[in-house]
Amino acid sequence: MHRVVNISRQVKKTYPRLIGECGGKNFHLLHLTADVDNAVHGTIKSAFEYAGQKCSACSRAYIPASLWPEFKEKLLEEQSKLKVGKPRDLENIYSTVINQEAKTRMKKAFMIAERDDELAVLAGGLWHDEDEAGDGDVFEPTIIQTSNPNHEYMTKEFFGPLLTIYVYDDAKTSWTEVIDLVNTTSAYGLTGAVFARDRNAVEEACRGLRQAAGNFYINDKSTGSVVGQQPFGGARGSGTNDKAGAASYLMKWVSPQSVKETFIPNAPLSHPSMLPN
């Protein structure tokens, strides 16, 4: 992108403006004091609305071992209620993915997950081939658990209905260490959410994840920013974080000029340091 700008700079009257809005490997992070029901519903919505084809969709989650049995049971229950299929059936949460490239990418991801010893498919992992009506391949909302917090499925954006979960041992791992893990795992920095009722835990997460998410949510899903209320954008590999929907965004597209007019004639050159003692 910068190379293109440098080339176009040579033929334009002024330096080209550059705004980069890219993807994200967005996270949900649960503290041991999290409201599990709230976190489950938020995670399902964020991960699987629009078949996960939102730049802000949650695609990695960190769950404390002390909450995992309850969280897992309720998450899988909610996943089982999701209907996917033909777009003309309004009861379906989503239909197919956007194009052939996306279909190929998701099929490969699902097949690799089945063979990888560090991954366990908890739900989904299948797709239904295009039918005679031409509605396209439909991929099931898929939930995967990994034993490796730095696995590719925790770092790579698939842009589809695929959520990968890492269960951390909250009896042996401090909240600070978990925050650092979330912060350093992905090259992206678009959206993220923390779920906790402990205010000190929330505040520590806000500090530790300052650069991990341009749009940060507390006890809410990592999607759904409203223009005029939550200007949107992220840094790191997610873009230039110019915050679409903010007044500052408009300034990127104008060329301000400062004007000064004086009504007092200029005096001869002299400075206080030049005056005799």
Side-chain angles (χ1 to χ4, degrees):
M1 184 182 297
H2 284 88
R3 285 196 298 269
V4 173
V5 168
N6 189 54
I7 293 172
S8 62
R9 179 177 61 88
Q10 302 172 28
V11 297
K12 296 185 181 298
K13 294 182 179 179
T14 188
Y15 203 92
R17 303 305 171 94
L18 176 64
I19 286 182
E21 293 189 6
C22 305
K25 189 64 179 176
N26 311 299
F27 61 86
H28 279 189
L29 169 60
L30 271 64
H31 185 257
L32 59 89
T33 64
D35 180 331
V36 172
D37 288 333
N38 178 43
V40 165
H41 294 311
T43 302
I44 287 287
K45 289 180 180 179
S46 180
F48 300 125
E49 284 182 328
Y50 303 98
Q53 297 174 114
K54 295 185 290 184
C55 56
S56 58
C58 173
S59 57
R60 57 179 171 133
Y62 300 81
I63 315 300
S66 58
L67 295 183
W68 177 236
E70 179 185 2
F71 184 89
K72 177 182 178 181
E73 178 183 0
K74 293 181 176 180
L75 186 73
L76 298 184
E77 180 183 357
E78 292 302 313
Q79 184 273 353
S80 69
K81 297 176 183 178
L82 299 178
K83 288 185 63 179
V84 298
K86 296 181 180 181
R88 293 181 294 277
D89 184 348
L90 299 184
E91 291 187 359
N92 290 330
I93 187 66
Y94 65 78
S95 55
T96 186
V97 289
I98 191 65
N99 56 25
Q100 186 59 50
E101 180 184 355
K103 294 176 185 179
T104 301
R105 181 176 64 249
M106 295 314 302
K107 287 179 181 179
K108 181 178 179 181
F110 284 9
M111 289 188 290
I112 290 175
E114 287 288 348
R115 302 192 303 265
D116 194 316
D117 292 338
E118 294 183 329
L119 302 175
V121 179
L122 303 182
L126 301 174
W127 66 88
H128 309 284
D129 290 329
E130 186 170 356
D131 60 22
E132 65 279 1
D135 290 304
D137 297 329
V138 176
F139 294 83
E140 294 183 356
T142 297
I143 301 171
I144 292 174
Q145 182 180 352
T146 181
S147 58
N148 178 5
N150 295 301
H151 193 281
E152 181 185 38
Y153 279 47
M154 296 294 282
T155 63
K156 179 180 179 180
E157 182 188 33
F158 290 99
F159 209 70
L162 175 58
L163 169 67
T164 307
I165 296 173
Y166 174 69
V167 179
Y168 67 91
D169 187 349
D170 51 319
K172 297 180 179 179
T173 308
S174 70
W175 182 235
T176 301
E177 290 172 322
V178 177
I179 290 172
D180 184 63
L181 173 64
V182 176
N183 184 47
T184 57
T185 296
S186 172
Y188 293 101
L190 190 54
T191 74
V194 61
F195 292 84
R197 285 183 266 208
D198 183 328
R199 199 64 202 175
N200 290 328
V202 169
E203 292 177 358
E204 184 175 356
C206 288
R207 292 190 299 270
L209 299 170
R210 174 66 181 81
Q211 302 299 327
N215 281 63
F216 189 65
Y217 297 82
I218 301 170
N219 293 317
D220 199 359
K221 56 185 173 59
S222 65
T223 61
S225 65
V226 180
V227 174
Q229 297 180 22
Q230 299 139 340
F232 187 81
R236 292 181 174 173
S238 296
T240 52
N241 201 12
D242 287 286
K243 287 292 182 282
S248 59
Y249 194 78
L250 178 62
M251 295 301 293
K252 291 286 291 189
W253 305 108
V254 300
S255 181
Q257 180 188 50
S258 297
V259 177
K260 174 187 177 183
E261 180 180 3
T262 185
F263 298 96
I264 301 175
N266 285 300
L269 175 61
S270 179
H271 295 290
S273 60
M274 299 166 60
L275 297 177
N277 294 331

